[in-house]
Amino acid sequence: MSTPTAALQGEIHRLQLQVNSLRTEKGAEQITVGNYILARLEQLRVTSIFGVPGDFNLGFLDLVEDHPTIDWIGNCNELNAAYAADGYARVKEHSIGVITTTFGVGELSAINGIAGAFSEMVPVLHLVGVPSTSQQATKPMLHHTLGDGRYDAYVQAAKQFTFSQAFLSDKNHAAAEIDRVLIDCITVARPVYIALPTDLVHQKISSESLRIPLTRSPPHNNPQVESFVLEQIVTLFEAAQGDAVVLVDACAIRHDVREELNDFLRKTGFPVYAAPMGKTAVDENYERYGGIYLGTISRPDIKEKVESAKLVLSVGSLLSDFNTGNFSYNIPTTRTIEVRNYPILTAPDLHSTHTRVQYASFPGIGMKQFIPKLTERLTSYHENASEITVPKFVTDVPKEENGDITHTWFWPRIAKFLKPKDVIVTETGTSNFGIQDVALPEKSVLVSQILWGSIGWSVGSLLGAAIAAREVGLGRAILFVGDGSIQLTVQELSVMLRLDVKPIIFLLNNSGYTIERYIHGKTRKYNDISNWTWTSLFKVLGDPEEQLSRTYTVRNKDELSSLLEDTTFASADRIQLVEIIMDPLDAPRALKVQAELSGKTNSYDAVLNPTTATA
């Protein structure tokens, strides 16, 4: 279905749901509120629900367990469940992640994971089992309450980290409220919250609205404004005479415009680069793809190509510190004077809900409908654009005399191990930065949390990502995580064993928090951790006879290369953990530079050395 047609159909569905919410359907088949929620989730292609049981959600969990197509994934704690729902949603496109917790203690445990999904624009439903409607009214001093009668305290907290909320209190409005927040979830790509009282789970309501699908198509762009914006951008391209590059970022992935974006790139021929959070939005083996632009941290050839272009078309930008080289983008506006050999034009910025041209912002002009129209107008530049050279994005494995495993050697070597359709999860720290400098195979998916950066997120996310990858027919699930990070969420390895998912976990044992050492306190003991017996983890967590798992320790380049070339290991026929011994003070180049910039931003140097501080 074409984008305009889908948008029109979406508007029709929205109006039909509004009409249904204003009337009571007589004679329609009845369904319980709990099963109505599950029916909607099934329509959204959800087949796994994460969470932890608690007395206020057990009635709903009965329905989940009895459902023919939706599985219950019991997690070790609510925080890990939220991370898993996040990873699931990132990998399973056109679906959402779902976490179910209990009132108060459960939902507050999950809130960090929900906040991360909000920060990084991941569609997650947080479904909370809460006390009955009568208890909500009389407010007895129940367990899991604050003891002061504030039964709304937790939903007030949820409002800070979710896009919309529904506290179901009346069965007659339940369907409309459920639909409202789910539509928000799939159209704005943010978490939403539903509170389900125990006595409403089995209340019967009409199933009529289930006949109308929830629409994920954004509303139509205003045609007059869209036409004006289109002319403005075309004029800028004409002035640039085709000397332009495209910079893609996170929102191109989150807001489902990769198909439109890739069609634009192939029909226009413009060079394309990505911000770290936009990595794998474009096939990294595409001949017009030049690599990662990260401001001053970029490779010199990439930095020169992006910053010297007369025009940069930014698609889906998310300008956080770790995504921009500590805000060091050097893509000027028309009011910025730069020393160049030719004039520089301002970057149009296409986003999910607005388009910015120079200093003017146009709300409501979303990129999904706009990009195809821009493609039609700019295909004539293909010949000129194709003549712009693009640095080949490849990193050779360096020849190092020392046998120690260094980050400079490790990441290019790992790139040769990766396969098309692999799902690659990287943890905050060395892994997030190391993976940026290597090209990933076609149709691979990178799952990383660069903006929120919660330590340990990747382990829970790996569980959800691995389940989603299995459901949609992707390849191996591979995690790169440090020894410090994995200690926060290691329990979820037991769930992976129970569910027979088979990720490969590369555990970088560098004796603590290397990213923190580089930001501040290289020799401070607060950046040290206890060294676990990593190769015994699976025995403790559910595989005492090691029938379901394998573990390895590698200490030098030869040992790691031999393992990577082992076909049994590469086949990922069971869950595997590889402990990789690395120097505590070795780190990827980009991390070293970013950490130095972050340390200065945090003013630690100024505090410790006041004589070096500048006004």
Side-chain angles (χ1 to χ4, degrees), residues 82-350:
Y83 290 161
D86 179 313
Y88 181 92
R90 290 177 191 245
V91 173
K92 192 167 186 180
E93 294 184 350
H94 304 145
S95 187
I96 65 172
V98 181
I99 170 177
T100 300
T101 66
T102 196
F103 180 63
V105 293
E107 58 184 305
L108 293 184
S109 292
I111 207 164
N112 174 50
I114 300 299
F118 185 94
S119 172
E120 301 235 342
M121 294 174 294
V122 181
V124 171
L125 167 64
H126 188 184
L127 181 64
V128 181
V130 302
S132 68
T133 53
S134 61
Q135 291 170 323
Q136 297 287 336
T138 58
K139 297 179 174 51
M141 192 179 293
L142 288 180
H143 61 289
H144 299 342
T145 69
L146 298 170
D148 61 0
R150 287 186 296 145
Y151 274 58
D152 67 339
Y154 311 131
V155 70
Q156 294 301 323
K159 287 180 180 179
Q160 311 306 313
F161 309 107
T162 55
F163 183 82
S164 60
Q165 309 78 35
F167 202 110
L168 306 184
S169 58
D170 179 352
K171 72 172 187 176
N172 294 321
H173 300 103
E177 285 291 275
I178 293 164
D179 291 349
R180 174 179 63 82
V181 297
L182 288 179
I183 289 173
D184 285 345
C185 187
I186 61 179
T187 54
V188 302
R190 300 271 191 175
V192 295
Y193 175 100
I194 295 178
L196 177 60
T198 55
D199 59 329
L200 283 188
V201 174
H202 297 288
Q203 291 287 309
K204 293 290 187 70
I205 61 175
S206 170
S207 65
E208 186 68 19
S209 290
L210 292 175
R211 297 171 54 189
I212 305 168
L214 302 180
T215 180
R216 64 179 64 255
S217 299
H220 272 298
N221 291 342
N222 181 301
Q224 287 78 28
V225 177
E226 184 180 65
S227 178
F228 176 81
V229 173
L230 187 61
E231 293 302 326
Q232 295 295 305
I233 292 179
V234 169
T235 299
L236 290 176
F237 272 90
E238 289 174 350
Q241 297 179 323
D243 184 0
V245 301
V246 178
L247 181 61
V248 300
D249 208 339
C251 296
I253 299 173
R254 303 292 193 268
H255 294 281
D256 190 29
V257 297
R258 274 184 286 192
E259 182 178 344
E260 292 84 357
L261 172 63
N262 280 279
D263 185 61
F264 172 87
L265 293 171
R266 295 186 184 279
K267 288 182 177 178
T268 62
F270 291 114
V272 57
Y273 300 84
M277 291 180 70
K279 191 173 173 68
T280 68
V282 176
D283 177 3
E284 299 199 329
N285 297 280
Y286 172 49
E287 65 271 14
R288 305 296 290 161
Y289 178 74
I292 300 296
Y293 175 68
L294 193 52
T296 59
I297 302 177
S298 308
R299 292 183 182 181
D301 56 345
I302 295 174
K303 184 176 187 296
E304 191 277 331
K305 287 293 184 181
V306 173
E307 295 180 1
S308 66
K310 291 183 181 179
L311 188 67
V312 176
L313 177 66
S314 172
V315 181
S317 61
L318 206 163
L319 303 178
S320 71
D321 53 353
F322 278 19
N323 201 39
T324 62
N326 220 54
F327 310 113
S328 63
Y329 271 22
N330 191 16
I331 305 173
T333 63
T334 51
R335 294 179 65 184
T336 301
I337 300 173
E338 294 281 341
V339 178
R340 298 285 178 175
N341 292 328
Y342 34 74
I344 300 210
L345 304 176
T346 311
D349 178 15
L350 304 186

Side-chain angles (χ1 to χ4, degrees), residues 494-564:
S494 66
V495 182
M496 297 177 203
L497 285 166
R498 171 164 53 84
L499 297 176
D500 195 32
V501 293
K502 302 167 182 176
I504 298 174
I505 300 166
F506 290 99
L507 191 152
L508 311 185
N509 186 343
N510 48 21
S511 303
Y513 299 116
T514 294
I515 185 172
E516 311 293 8
R517 294 189 198 281
Y518 269 94
I519 293 174
H520 185 73
K522 279 189 177 181
T523 60
R524 292 289 187 176
K525 64 183 180 181
Y526 51 67
N527 285 325
D528 298 336
I529 63 168
S530 299
N531 188 38
W532 294 1
T533 307
W534 299 105
T535 53
S536 297
L537 275 180
F538 292 129
K539 292 181 181 179
V540 175
L541 295 174
D543 186 22
E545 304 301 323
E546 297 184 292
Q547 299 296 309
L548 305 173
S549 62
R550 296 191 192 97
T551 59
Y552 314 84
T553 297
V554 294
R555 300 179 181 275
N556 56 57
K557 293 181 175 74
D558 288 342
E559 290 178 355
L560 179 56
S561 287
S562 295
L563 180 62
L564 296 178

Side-chain angles (χ1 to χ4, degrees), residues 9-21 212:
Q9 190 63 55
E11 284 297 308
I12 293 172
H13 289 162
R14 268 189 279 266
L15 291 171
Q16 288 176 325
L17 287 171
Q18 289 175 9
V19 171
N20 270 6
S21 68
I212 305 168

